[in-house]
Amino acid sequence: MELRSRSVHFKLVEESDAEFILSLRSDANLNSYLSKTDASIDDQKKWIRDYKIRETEKREFYFIICRNDNGQSVGTVRLYDFITTTNSFCWGSWILNSNKTKFAAIESAFLVYQFAFEELNFEKSHFDVRKENSKVIAFHEKMGAEKKSETELDYYFEVQKEHVYNARYKYLKFISSLKEDFK
Ligand SMILES: CC(C)(COP(=O)(O)OP(=O)(O)OC[C@H]1O[C@@H](n2cnc3c(N)ncnc32)[C@H](O)[C@@H]1OP(=O)(O)O)[C@@H](O)C(=O)NCCC(=O)NCCS
């Protein structure tokens, strides 16, 4: 399945992306609400090599978000923790740097759901967001996600396929790949 939207597309992570991933995860403007990453390129490469085995087994998918206009890598997103009993997947490692396109956030979220619901046949998604990450919480709630539980640090959300599909109509103008790319 080609995962391409109006201004961004996904490509599967490769070992050669280690430096870019590290640059995102060590950026103080972006990592306040992310789990800490080992700062060595070699460890990051090893992590990616281990991940590629899980990718072959279709247990996890880690994507680089790239701009359509110049191919530049602008972010990451990852689907993991696939639960067959509840037909639910988790997503995260969602980061976009300052070279992102204006609607890369909405487009990449819908590409995640498109891949998960249409290609992997999941029915819902679960994910956690740091309580202080209010912008991202608002983003997910606008898409129909509901808080299911919480710890001291995090909210645990769930969103049903049906709610994402309903939201998709509202956002069609952002995600359509038929219109010209724009910044
Ligand atoms: C999470 C992250 C990828 C989201 O990307 P973002 O670009 O900040 O997302 P935004 O919510 O600003 O959305 C981008 C644009 O779409 C708009 N938008 C978002 N949701 C919208 C909606 N439902 N309706 C209309 N417009 C919407 C925003 O207003 C924004 O437009 P603006 O630039 O004019 O303000 C990014 O903030 C990031 O990398 N954060 C650091 C890492 C992180 O915390 N990750 C999440 C861990 S759970």
Side-chain angles (χ1 to χ4, degrees), residues 11-82:
K11 75 171 190 64
L12 285 163
V13 161
E14 303 293 343
E15 241 183 90
S16 53
D17 296 310
E19 211 155 331
F20 172 67
I21 293 174
L22 220 47
S23 77
L24 286 179
R25 299 196 69 103
S26 53
D27 184 331
N29 295 315
L30 298 173
N31 67 10
S32 315
Y33 309 118
L34 299 174
S35 53
K36 294 276 164 290
T37 309
D38 218 307
S40 112
I41 288 274
D42 284 342
D43 287 343
Q44 186 61 228
K45 283 189 174 163
K46 161 128 187 25
W47 198 97
I48 295 171
R49 275 198 299 278
D50 292 343
Y51 149 74
K52 290 303 267 187
I53 297 168
R54 299 193 293 278
E55 181 191 293
T56 315
E57 297 167 346
K58 297 192 189 309
R59 288 164 51 209
E60 187 171 328
F61 295 92
Y62 196 5
F63 294 106
I64 299 290
I65 305 167
C66 307
R67 293 180 65 113
N68 291 345
D69 56 1
N70 58 12
Q72 191 179 19
S73 302
V74 295
T76 58
V77 70
R78 190 163 65 93
L79 290 78
Y80 60 102
D81 189 24
F82 296 172

Side-chain angles (χ1 to χ4, degrees), residues 30 33-34 94-96 100 102-103 105-106 128 133 135-136 139 142 171:
L30 298 173
Y33 309 118
L34 299 174
W94 189 32
I95 316 174
L96 284 164
K100 67 192 170 190
K102 183 163 170 54
F103 295 115
I106 303 179
D128 51 277
N133 204 351
K135 219 179 93 174
V136 170
F139 182 99
K142 274 190 257 175
Y171 298 128

Side-chain angles (χ1 to χ4, degrees), residues 8 12 17 22 47 55 59 89 101 104 115 117 125 148 176:
V8 293
L12 285 163
D17 296 310
L22 220 47
W47 198 97
E55 181 191 293
R59 288 164 51 209
F89 77 99
T101 56
F115 180 59
F117 296 145
S125 177
K148 288 292 175 183
S176 165

